[in-house]
Amino acid sequence: MRNTRGIPRLALSAVAGAAALGMAVTATTETASAQETLQVGAIQPQAGDCGQWGIPITRGMQIWADQLNAEGGLLAGDGKRYMIEIKAYDNVCYIPGEELKAGRRAILDDGIKFMLQTFTPGSRQAIAQMTTDHHVLTTSYGAGYLSKDHPYLIGGITGSPAAYMLVASRALTANPDVKRVAIITADASYGLAAKAYFEAGVAAHPDQAEIVYNESYSPDATKDMLGLLTPLMASEPDMICQLGFVPAQLAIMVETVEQLGFKGVYCAEGFTMPIILKRVPAEVLAGRMYFGYAFEASEASFSPKGHELYTTYVEQFGEDQWSPYTPIGYAAIGTIEAGIRMSPSIDSEVVMKTLLGAEVVDHPIFGPSRWGGEEIYGANNHLLTPLPIYNLGADGNLVLDHLLDHAAWWEQHMAVALPVLEAGGQVFR
Amino acid sequence: MQIVANIIFLSTFYVSFAVGLALVFGVMRTINFAHGEFYMFGGYALWLLINAFTGILPPGATFIVALIVAAGVVGVMGILVQLSIFHRLREQPFSIFMATLGLSYVLQVAVVKAIGPMGQSVPAPFPGFILFEGMVLPIQRLVVFGFTVVMMGGLYLFLMHTDLGRAVRATAQNRTGAMLQGISMNHIALTTMFVGSALAAISGVLMGSVLIISPFMGGEALWRAFIIIIVGGIGSLSGAVVAAFLFGIIDTLMTTFGAGKFAPMVDAIIMLLVLSFLPSGLLGARE
Amino acid sequence: MMLETQELTVKYDLISALSEVSISAEERTITTIVGSNGAGKTTLLKTISGLIRPESGEIRFLGERIDAASPTAIVRMGISHVPEGRELFPRISVYDNLMVGAYLRKDRKAIRRDLDRIYQHFPILKDRRRQLARDLSGGEQQMLAFGRALMSDPKLLLLDEPSIGLAPVIEQRIMETLRVLTVDENVGVVLVEQNAALALSVASHGYVLEQGSLVLQGPANELIKDDNVRAAYLGL
């Protein structure tokens, strides 16, 4: 008797677990049905450690939709307003195979025509053909992989991995005494892209700096910073470029290398300052923290509209849930927003042609920007938005350090940077 | 010399987490998948209490309060798991495995919903560091090391020098024999789940003070602990300690010499070799 | 009567392991149950000590029904079971094995006294008290199993094949010790044995079990002369 009673109970608990997980995965919005609704897909990790990136990114997109819906919908080029519904699809942890599964659910099952995905080259390649076949305009916070054969795949903003190159270069320009650079990146597709782009950024300053440490770590095995960073510090760097740590890990990294005697500058895509400042005082770190990705919404001066994202997010989820990754989805989907506003029809093929055909795209956050990417991807489908680079002020607040013109930088340094990217497997011409 | 310190700190982490799992596995002969989430609760207990008591209690005192509160609360959760899952599904190890796996997901999602997915970290309750013989020794890590030694000492005294502890060891080695001495299996199971779960929570508080606290921290720690208790010998606490140090040394050396990304693979290969040539583990029972 | 079973029936998955077995055992005497392998001897002992629940019938110990009591309650009432294969705790010391036997007792002085008495009966256990149980020889392990059972201060000992796997000389010593213990420690013994000759030589009363049913019973010195018993179990 006991046996037969036990099984439904077991089944129940397993189902409850799966159901609870499922609830977390698909975040959908109820929208008024008066107007037409436009479904926008988000393929991002929705659970697990990578959810620390994917969930804030998805939330940023949701706030984008909420803001437009509050205005009565997105005003398209056809003169109509469209309510936006965000549908999230889990790619587990930016795994290409999972990206493909998520893409199938979004495109084949749900008929999504506008979508955001990660920049990771492997993941972009995984769904490139499907986006082309089904005319799904797919943006990302960066380029990663583009192709003239896949015009529906666009790089929505400068973003990853280009920003790594630009931030490393800016940090070197601003600190002429920095000579020895350490690069530490995750041993994953996104980490390998970052490694090549950090190298390219350093290569743009051949007379100033050399790379003295350049290693990948396994994200699964890296729990103890002290062990990981001891060999890095043994190379005596005066600049550390990092990609792959989740925000709290990055905070522990900063604390650990400070304890190990580091006095140089940091470069990364984003720092979550409140948790870092709990560990290391602002006056110690001020002026040493270079970062830039899309834009940092908690800093008000760059974009008042963008800063609203921060205040809304903090109201909804609390200050300690703020993530430097929230703005990147918000900014990248803004490129599709710009395309829909320009296009005479919301048909995805017309939007794509209008957007890529435009000489200048008026991005809602970055303003007028031009297309680029030919030399790396063989297609000018990467919108080269200016990159705001931030630093830490003496009072513990973030300050806008520099607004870097991506297109101009590339013009100037392409000759040295491109071969480095090619050697790092990041050129897809 | 820093390597020596790093090995000790990493091994401390492995020991403090694996020993509770080894105890539960040894006595209950089945896996509690939610053990990792109990560890995660320890981490969040520290985070919540540090936030709540900032300015009221010194962080060091809060740290000690967190150890006591987390051990008590999570120990009671262990008792609830025993009553609701292990006892009702006894003799069905696979059902227990699935049910606790389900529970593990539910607890993760509950924390994501209640607190959020973003990992947290707390400033070291005992901040600062000591420079000694060229080694950097963060004080918090020394404190964690000290508490782990105290925790292991307490567990040793309980198991080796109390009647209940002796009964727990006897039950782990021979259930039928233990029942025939009048030892109540329910009583031992409740004791083991309380102690094992409390150990997970203590480990969570200790590690939460130096690593990141996230809803998913338990899952990763659990897989590492599986490898440790399999290599150490299932049911052998001393084997778990030896294996924890073995992997502490291997993982630290591999990271130091730039092969850290191969560490999980090497650890898995070591586990497979041990399973092939020493199926009962380094110090396991030959049964 | 110290222990009585009345029409005890035990089934494993609908197949009878014991059918309507009624036995009794008295204080300070050895009662033996002989029978071939699979006759149900071990099942009978496990049912008495509460490891197996009977389908029907009653078990009384000192006049109280115990057929629904837990193993813990049965040990507490004074029944101690030395099981087939001894079921020692292999990786703890001889001393700890003995102390686990006293798990339900609280009186430290009495426990200490009983421990000393067991060391007197089995001096080798005292010599080896710090060794792990698995490192003892077969005969020593059997002594430890006795000792552990006695540490619960029992009124009745259930012994399952104590001679199995031991050399004949050791077998004899074990049986001799058993006889002494019965008198010295004032306990009743139910002895289950395949070696019927050995068992009947020390017991005062015997039962013969075949395929779960009692086929014969009587004073041991009469059973040993019974032609059927001699043919079936004594190989004569």
Side-chain angles (χ1 to χ4, degrees), chain B residues 29 160 163-164 166-167 169-185 187-188 234-236 283-287, chain C residues 46 49 51 71-72 75 79-83 86-93 95-97 99-101 103-105 108 134 148-149 152:
Chain B
R29 292 287 146 160
M160 304 305 279
D163 290 344
L164 188 55
R166 192 187 286 123
R169 282 189 295 147
T171 306
Q173 294 180 19
N174 187 337
R175 290 182 89 79
T176 308
M179 282 166 83
L180 291 176
Q181 310 317 310
I183 297 171
S184 156
M185 292 300 107
H187 190 191
I188 295 300
I234 285 166
S236 166
L283 297 182
R286 277 169 218 93
E287 285 168 331
Chain C
K46 283 183 169 175
S49 59
L51 295 180
T72 304
V75 174
I79 298 182
S80 194
H81 183 166
V82 180
R86 304 173 197 121
E87 306 281 3
L88 294 172
F89 308 117
R91 283 165 286 121
I92 65 178
S93 67
Y95 170 81
D96 279 342
N97 266 275
M99 292 306 285
V100 173
Y103 178 67
L104 291 176
R105 299 171 65 191
R108 298 260 154 205
R134 70 174 176 204
R148 184 181 66 178
S152 68

Side-chain angles (χ1 to χ4, degrees), chain A residues 191-231:
Chain A
L192 296 175
K195 182 176 155 80
Y197 275 82
F198 280 137
E199 289 167 1
V202 176
H205 304 263
D207 301 329
Q208 180 184 342
E210 57 167 338
I211 295 170
V212 294
Y213 178 93
N214 192 356
E215 295 291 342
S216 299
Y217 63 89
S218 161
D220 300 327
T222 306
K223 293 294 154 261
D224 195 21
M225 287 291 160
L226 197 52
L228 184 66
L229 297 170
T230 298

Side-chain angles (χ1 to χ4, degrees), chain C residues 99-141:
Chain C
M99 292 306 285
V100 173
Y103 178 67
L104 291 176
R105 299 171 65 191
K106 296 287 165 254
D107 182 350
R108 298 260 154 205
K109 265 190 199 152
I111 293 173
R112 189 70 232 173
R113 202 176 53 233
D114 285 354
L115 184 67
D116 287 342
R117 282 225 310 281
I118 286 160
Y119 284 157
Q120 274 169 21
H121 281 302
F122 307 108
I124 191 78
L125 294 184
K126 187 175 188 183
D127 296 345
R128 309 216 152 169
R129 63 188 181 278
R130 290 183 206 287
Q131 291 189 16
L132 299 186
R134 70 174 176 204
D135 296 336
L136 300 185
S137 71
E140 290 161 356
Q141 289 194 359

Side-chain angles (χ1 to χ4, degrees), chain A residues 12-355:
Chain A
L12 208 65
S13 49
V15 167
L21 205 64
M23 265 158 41
V25 166
T26 14
T28 54
T29 347
E30 296 299 319
T31 47
S33 54
Q35 284 110 330
E36 278 184 69
T37 297
L38 205 57
Q39 290 191 328
V40 176
I43 303 182
Q44 284 294 325
Q46 300 296 330
D49 249 353
C50 290
Q52 298 190 47
W53 294 305
I55 293 173
I57 290 171
T58 311
R59 285 172 174 174
M61 288 179 66
Q62 185 61 51
I63 292 174
W64 168 77
D66 292 345
Q67 287 176 349
L68 288 172
N69 292 342
E71 296 167 9
L74 168 60
L75 181 60
D78 63 6
K80 288 194 228 155
R81 284 188 179 270
Y82 294 88
M83 300 299 278
I84 307 287
E85 182 187 348
I86 302 293
K87 297 196 73 139
Y89 302 90
D90 194 1
N91 66 0
V92 185
C93 197
Y94 306 112
I95 298 166
E98 299 291 337
E99 188 88 8
L100 182 59
K101 281 190 216 160
R104 283 203 190 110
R105 286 200 302 278
I107 296 170
L108 304 181
D109 298 349
D110 294 350
I112 295 285
K113 291 294 176 195
F114 299 99
M115 195 160 78
L116 174 134
Q117 68 163 157
T118 176
F119 77 90
T120 308
S123 294
R124 297 219 85 177
Q125 283 164 322
I127 63 164
Q129 193 57 45
M130 196 162 40
T131 62
T132 314
D133 295 345
H134 296 272
H135 297 186
V136 184
L137 185 57
T138 306
T139 183
S140 181
Y141 32 86
Y145 168 80
L146 301 170
S147 159
K148 65 177 184 320
D149 299 330
H150 302 302
Y152 286 88
L153 231 44
I154 61 169
I157 59 173
T158 287
S160 295
Y164 310 138
M165 175 174 74
L166 304 180
V167 171
S169 171
R170 166 63 196 164
L172 288 172
T173 308
N175 298 276
D177 49 339
V178 166
K179 309 276 185 234
R180 301 169 65 83
V181 181
I183 297 172
I184 178 163
T185 47
D187 183 28
S189 173
Y190 53 88
L192 296 175
K195 182 176 155 80
Y197 275 82
F198 280 137
E199 289 167 1
V202 176
H205 304 263
D207 301 329
Q208 180 184 342
E210 57 167 338
I211 295 170
V212 294
Y213 178 93
N214 192 356
E215 295 291 342
S216 299
Y217 63 89
S218 161
D220 300 327
T222 306
K223 293 294 154 261
D224 195 21
M225 287 291 160
L226 197 52
L228 184 66
L229 297 170
T230 298
L232 180 147
M233 285 304 293
S235 72
E236 300 179 353
D238 36 27
M239 175 159 120
I240 300 175
C241 293
Q242 201 287 322
L243 182 95
F245 289 148
V246 298
Q249 277 178 311
L250 202 50
I252 297 172
M253 179 197 99
V254 171
E255 181 189 38
T256 306
V257 295
E258 291 292 317
Q259 286 180 347
L260 293 171
F262 185 64
K263 301 269 182 275
V265 302
Y266 297 89
C267 80
E269 60 185 13
F271 291 107
T272 306
M273 278 303 168
I275 57 174
I276 295 175
L277 295 181
K278 274 189 201 166
R279 298 176 164 269
V280 185
E283 59 268 25
V284 172
L285 295 176
R288 296 168 55 199
M289 316 288 284
Y290 290 87
F291 69 97
Y293 194 153
F295 67 102
E296 173 53 54
S298 63
E299 194 276 331
S301 79
F302 172 68
S303 163
K305 175 178 159 64
H307 189 57
E308 253 178 63
L309 168 66
Y310 176 75
T311 47
T312 311
Y313 188 98
V314 168
E315 261 169 41
Q316 280 184 21
F317 304 109
E319 199 170 353
D320 55 24
Q321 287 292 308
W322 172 251
S323 157
Y325 299 94
T326 307
I328 68 176
Y330 183 90
I333 200 69
T335 307
I336 286 186
E337 177 192 331
I340 291 174
R341 286 192 194 281
M342 282 192 274
S343 168
S345 154
I346 64 152
D347 179 87
S348 56
E349 186 175 0
V350 182
V351 176
M352 181 273 284
K353 287 186 169 151
T354 311
L355 196 55

